[in-house]
């Protein structure tokens, strides 16, 4: 059967009939030969991107061009400092001081060969592969339930042959119990399979869209789509990580009863479940904390402003991917997690399940994880909405400092140890002996094949220690009450000395370099310290306030 002719849109609006041969992805119009010529002759339209109308069959160029924050405004620019698309209002309101703003058409040049496309393609591919594995795993789970049922029924029948006929009633009761459990588990297995299949379909659709724009879209369209699809990918990653821990694989066992002593039952059906073993190893987890070398390290620190905190004390703060500050307050019961702009404007607050102390971003996701010192637990936090999520009990006494590398969480204890916790199951994989007192901060430093942890031990020997992931000590440096530290890209550590109100820099070889800031610079028993993403701002907490310094 001949395919249906596609009509020219401009001609159709003029009540004429012409066959469309090209499709303008900017105007979103199909054009005939005459309209193509006119379209190319108009200077304003000459730069528009035309493709054969055949490539639009089954596909549409639906790209989100409207700004999320300003209604009626469309994306026109890209800010390299904040890695985001923006409209003219965004540029005027929140990006006036940014130095790397380009029109989208300029920023999009070469994006087909960019690392962003490679990263997004790899991440979607990994998501798709993981959902395929998940579907296979759930299908195997569903099949296993049927096999287990058949196996149990044979065991029951054999056992029934060895007993007297007056136990028929108990046999029917036991078989009925098996059927009931089978229906329940099958229903759950079917539900898991359905959800996994839907997730695979969504990721496959995402993959097809990025592949379509890569092959047929303009670079601007591809660039816009890549930037708008990042949040969808992040949501898929977050949803996937939340889904897998909830999935269970069931085994059903039959335990025979000693009928001589117990005659009121043939036995019991035991249901044994285990967590789904499918995991997502997406590329960002492998690369998120790898840092590029800077030509210089921060040296000059100039006071900018002081931000007052209503109450409590700030024991930890992290800088999110969009350069906001997430603060952890361990001295108040409510609103102990708060989100602020990099200039000190409060955005929103939420309440953790217990007393929070340390906090770290989960690479490649919209999540952070916080230690709850009074509950021996950790809790995941959605960074975008600043809402608490899944809470996991861990076998760590008084958890304090925390870091995340790939699928493992490193948690410092009040006994001088660092425990390696599996992020999915919450199981303790290994314990490293670092000191003998409070491990208040853990910072990872990953450079090519080198992976190290920088730890602060407050009390005990008061050491800042650098260790390898297997526990091998690289160096230790005695500091006057080290509370937290931040790292620059050259491996230098900036340590808050709580007892002497200093910010001390320790070189990458573990030697004290110099005091960067002190009490005369407005430091007063400092706790947390952090750099922003571009290393031109430093944030230091003095219990009830956060001091912001410009640095270069």
């Amino acid at each position: 059967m001949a395919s249906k002719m596609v009509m020219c849109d401009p001609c159709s609006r003029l009540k004429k009939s012409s066959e469309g041969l090209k499709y303008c992805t900017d105007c979103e119009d199909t054009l005939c030969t005459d309209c193509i010529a006119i379209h190319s002759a108009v200077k304003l339209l000459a730069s528009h991107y035309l493709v054969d109308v055949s490539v639009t069959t089954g596909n549409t160029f639906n790209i989100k061009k409207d700004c999320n924050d300003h209604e009626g405004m469309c994306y026109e620019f890209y800010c390299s400092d904040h890695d985001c698309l923006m409209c003219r209002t965004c540029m005027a309101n929140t990006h006036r001081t940014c130095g790397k703003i380009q029109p989208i058409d300029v920023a999009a040049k070469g994006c087909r060969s960019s690392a962003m496309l490679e990263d997004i393609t790899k991440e979607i591919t990994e998501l798709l592969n993981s959902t395929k594995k998940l579907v296979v795993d759930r299908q195997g789970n569903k099949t296993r339930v049927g096999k287990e049922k058949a196996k149990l029924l044979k065991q029951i029948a054999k056992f029934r042959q060895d007993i007297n006929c007056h136990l028929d009633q108990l046999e029917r009761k036991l078989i009925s119990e098996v059927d009931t459990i089978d229906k329940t588990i099958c229903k759950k297995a079917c539900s898991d399979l359905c959800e996994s299949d839907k997730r695979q379909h969504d990721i496959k659709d995402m993959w097809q869209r990025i592949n379509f724009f890569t092959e047929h879209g303009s670079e601007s369209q591809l660039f816009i789509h890549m930037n708008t699809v990042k949040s969808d990918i992040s949501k898929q990653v977050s949803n996937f990580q939340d889904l897998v821990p909830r999935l269970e694989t069931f085994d059903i066992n039959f335990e025979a009863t000693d009928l001589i002593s117990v005659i009121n039952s043939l036995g019991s059906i035991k249901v044994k479940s285990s967590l789904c073993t499918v995991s997502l190893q997406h590329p960002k987890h492998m690369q998120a904390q790898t840092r590029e070398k800077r030509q210089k390290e921060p040296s000059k620190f100039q006071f900018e402003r002081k931000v007052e905190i209503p109450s409590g004390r700030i024991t930890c703060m992290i800088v999110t991917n969009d350069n906001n500050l997430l603060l952890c307050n361990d001295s108040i019961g409510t609103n102990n997690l708060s989100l602020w702009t990099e200039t000190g404007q409060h955005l929103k607050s939420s309440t953790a399940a217990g007393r929070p102390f340390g906090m770290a971003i989960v690479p490649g996701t919209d999540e952070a994880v916080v230690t709850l010192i009074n509950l021996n637990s950790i809790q995941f936090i959605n960074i975008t909405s600043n809402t608490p999520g899944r809470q996991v009990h861990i076998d760590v006494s008084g958890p304090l400092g925390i870091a995340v590398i790939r699928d493992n969480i490193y948690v410092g204890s009040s006994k001088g140890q660092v425990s390696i916790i599996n992020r999915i199951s919450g199981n303790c994989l290994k314990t490293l002996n670092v000191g003998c007192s409070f491990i208040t901060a853990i910072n990872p430093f990953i450079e090519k094949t080198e992976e190290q942890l920088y730890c602060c031990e407050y009390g005990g020997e008061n050491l800042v220690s650098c260790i390898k992931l297997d526990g091998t000590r690289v160096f230790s440096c005695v500091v006057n009450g080290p509370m937290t530290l931040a790292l620059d890209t050259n491996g230098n550590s900036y340590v808050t000395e709580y007892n002497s109100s200093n910010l001390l820099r320790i070189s990458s070889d573990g030697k004290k370099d110099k005091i960067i800031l002190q009490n005369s610079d407005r430091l007063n028993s400092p706790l947390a310290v952090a750099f922003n993403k571009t290393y031109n701002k430093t944030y230091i907490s003095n219990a009830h306030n956060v001091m912001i310094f410009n640095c270069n």
Side-chain angles (χ1 to χ4, degrees):
M1 181 182 293
S3 60
K4 184 179 179 180
M5 184 174 70
V6 180
M7 306 305 295
C8 173
D9 291 319
C11 290
S12 297
R13 290 193 285 270
L14 295 174
K15 310 299 182 184
K16 296 191 298 183
S17 298
S18 300
E19 181 180 4
L21 302 177
K22 296 284 187 179
Y23 180 81
C24 176
T25 61
D26 295 282
C27 298
E28 298 183 354
D29 270 348
T30 302
L31 307 174
C32 65
T33 302
D34 293 338
C35 290
I36 292 171
I38 297 173
H39 196 275
S40 301
V42 177
K43 185 176 181 180
L44 186 64
L45 306 178
S47 62
H48 284 199
Y49 196 74
L50 302 182
V51 297
D52 289 336
V53 71
S54 60
V55 306
T56 64
T57 304
N59 296 286
T60 56
F61 285 84
N62 290 332
I63 299 177
K64 187 181 185 315
K65 300 178 180 179
D66 297 329
C67 179
N68 290 328
D69 299 323
H70 303 103
E71 186 176 357
M73 302 295 291
C74 61
Y75 291 128
E76 297 183 60
F77 301 96
Y78 174 75
C79 176
S80 298
D81 289 343
H82 291 87
D83 188 22
C84 67
L85 300 171
M86 59 183 181
C87 66
R88 292 182 181 272
T89 304
C90 292
M91 183 168 64
N93 290 350
T94 57
H95 295 267
R96 280 183 289 182
T97 61
C98 296
K100 297 181 180 179
I101 295 177
Q102 296 176 308
I104 286 178
D105 289 342
V106 175
K109 288 182 179 179
C111 70
R112 277 194 175 90
S113 58
S114 67
M116 181 189 293
L117 176 59
E118 183 179 355
D119 289 344
I120 288 178
T121 302
K122 285 181 179 178
E123 196 158 5
I124 294 177
T125 300
E126 192 60 41
L127 271 169
L128 185 59
N129 290 338
S130 294
T131 52
K132 287 179 179 177
K133 292 177 183 177
L134 189 61
V135 170
V136 172
D137 181 83
R138 293 298 93 190
Q139 182 62 58
N141 180 46
K142 183 172 179 287
T143 303
R144 187 184 300 108
V145 171
K147 291 181 178 179
E148 290 292 332
K149 177 186 176 183
K151 179 181 177 181
L152 286 179
L153 292 178
K154 288 181 179 180
Q155 290 176 340
I156 294 169
K158 183 179 182 301
F159 186 58
R160 177 63 183 86
Q161 293 172 0
D162 297 333
I163 64 174
N164 296 326
C165 60
H166 70 276
L167 297 177
D168 288 343
Q169 183 177 359
L170 291 178
E171 181 187 26
R172 289 192 296 269
K173 178 182 177 182
L174 191 58
I175 293 176
S176 175
E177 184 181 355
V178 171
D179 288 336
T180 301
I181 292 176
D182 171 64
K183 290 178 181 178
T184 302
I185 297 176
C186 280
K187 183 178 179 181
K188 179 66 169 59
C190 290
S191 175
D192 289 350
L193 179 60
C194 181
E195 185 173 0
S196 302
D197 190 69
K198 181 180 181 302
R199 192 172 300 278
Q200 179 186 5
H201 180 271
D202 292 343
I203 302 303
K204 185 179 293 184
D205 181 67
M206 194 180 300
W207 164 255
Q208 290 172 346
R209 297 294 299 160
I210 196 70
N211 192 46
F212 172 74
F213 283 109
T214 302
E215 295 179 1
H216 304 295
S218 68
E219 290 193 336
S220 294
Q221 292 162 344
L222 176 60
F223 186 77
I224 292 174
H225 183 67
M226 285 192 298
N227 278 275
T228 54
V229 82
K230 285 191 293 185
S231 61
D232 295 334
I233 297 173
S234 184
K235 288 178 183 178
Q236 286 287 352
V237 172
S238 179
N239 292 339
F240 188 94
Q241 302 292 6
D242 285 339
L243 169 64
V244 173
R246 299 198 305 267
L247 299 177
E248 297 177 305
T249 299
F250 296 97
D251 290 321
I252 310 173
N253 298 316
F254 173 72
E255 294 182 3
T257 299
D258 182 2
L259 294 180
I260 297 176
S261 59
V262 181
I263 199 170
N264 60 346
S265 172
L266 285 177
S268 60
I269 304 299
K270 299 293 184 181
V271 178
K272 180 182 178 182
S273 67
S274 58
L275 293 176
C276 179
T277 58
V278 177
S279 62
L280 174 62
Q281 293 286 353
H282 50 92
K284 282 190 176 183
H285 273 201
M286 304 298 293
Q287 302 171 1
Q289 293 178 313
T290 302
R291 313 182 187 199
E292 297 179 356
K293 286 278 188 181
R294 283 165 47 95
Q295 295 301 314
K296 61 179 182 178
E297 58 221 10
S299 57
K300 296 181 180 179
F301 292 73
Q302 183 177 5
F303 176 75
E304 178 183 311
R305 71 182 68 189
K306 177 172 70 173
V307 179
E308 292 291 345
I309 306 301
S311 61
R313 65 173 191 166
I314 305 304
T315 55
C316 186
M317 55 186 165
I318 56 176
V319 181
T320 65
N321 293 329
D322 51 1
N323 259 358
N324 286 328
L325 283 173
L326 189 58
L327 306 184
C328 183
N329 194 321
D330 82 330
S331 296
I332 55 178
T334 59
N335 295 326
N336 45 27
L337 301 172
S338 56
L339 190 65
W340 303 68
T341 66
E342 61 181 337
T343 57
Q345 179 185 356
H346 178 258
L347 298 176
K348 60 184 74 173
S349 295
S350 62
T351 302
R355 177 187 168 197
F357 187 89
M359 188 164 40
I361 289 179
V362 180
T365 74
D366 286 334
E367 282 190 320
V369 60
V370 61
T371 54
L372 305 179
I373 186 173
N374 61 325
L375 300 180
N376 289 350
S377 300
I378 56 175
Q379 187 170 20
F380 291 88
I381 309 294
N382 185 289
I383 299 174
T384 305
S385 61
N386 191 29
T387 53
R390 179 168 60 103
Q391 180 182 345
V392 180
H393 179 80
I394 57 176
D395 187 20
V396 176
S397 176
L400 296 163
I402 187 169
V404 183
I405 301 178
R406 293 183 288 277
D407 277 336
N408 289 334
I409 299 176
Y410 295 75
V411 181
S413 75
S414 59
K415 297 181 178 180
Q417 297 176 324
V418 172
S419 296
I420 305 175
I421 308 296
N422 181 270
R423 184 167 61 89
I424 304 300
S425 66
N427 295 330
C428 182
L429 306 178
K430 188 177 181 181
T431 299
L432 310 177
N433 292 315
V434 178
C436 59
S437 192
F438 302 98
I439 305 299
T440 53
I442 305 174
N443 282 43
F445 186 81
I446 301 175
E447 183 182 10
K448 295 181 180 178
T449 59
E450 182 183 19
E451 298 182 327
Q452 298 175 341
L453 295 175
Y454 287 71
C455 306
C456 286
E457 179 193 2
Y458 182 79
E461 298 183 44
N462 281 312
L463 295 177
V464 172
S465 299
C466 176
I467 63 173
K468 296 182 180 181
L469 299 190
D470 62 0
T472 303
R473 191 176 299 270
V474 179
F475 67 76
S476 292
C477 181
V478 178
V479 175
N480 190 12
M483 188 59 68
T484 62
L485 62 84
L487 296 167
D488 66 21
T489 53
N490 293 324
N492 301 309
S493 50
Y494 298 74
V495 185
T496 55
E497 289 187 300
Y498 183 80
N499 295 340
S500 55
S501 295
N502 292 332
L503 179 68
L504 172 69
R505 181 163 67 195
I506 300 175
S507 62
S508 59
D509 59 1
K511 297 179 181 179
K512 291 183 181 180
D513 185 358
K514 64 178 179 178
I515 294 175
I516 301 295
L517 297 168
Q518 52 193 334
N519 186 254
S520 59
D521 297 305
R522 299 179 175 85
L523 297 193
N524 182 16
S525 299
L527 293 163
V529 58
F531 289 110
N532 68 351
K533 297 300 182 184
T534 53
Y535 291 86
N536 61 2
K537 287 186 185 294
T538 308
Y539 311 92
I540 301 176
S541 67
N542 291 327
H544 300 305
N545 55 57
V546 174
M547 315 302 291
I548 302 178
F549 295 86
N550 291 318
C551 52
N552 53 48

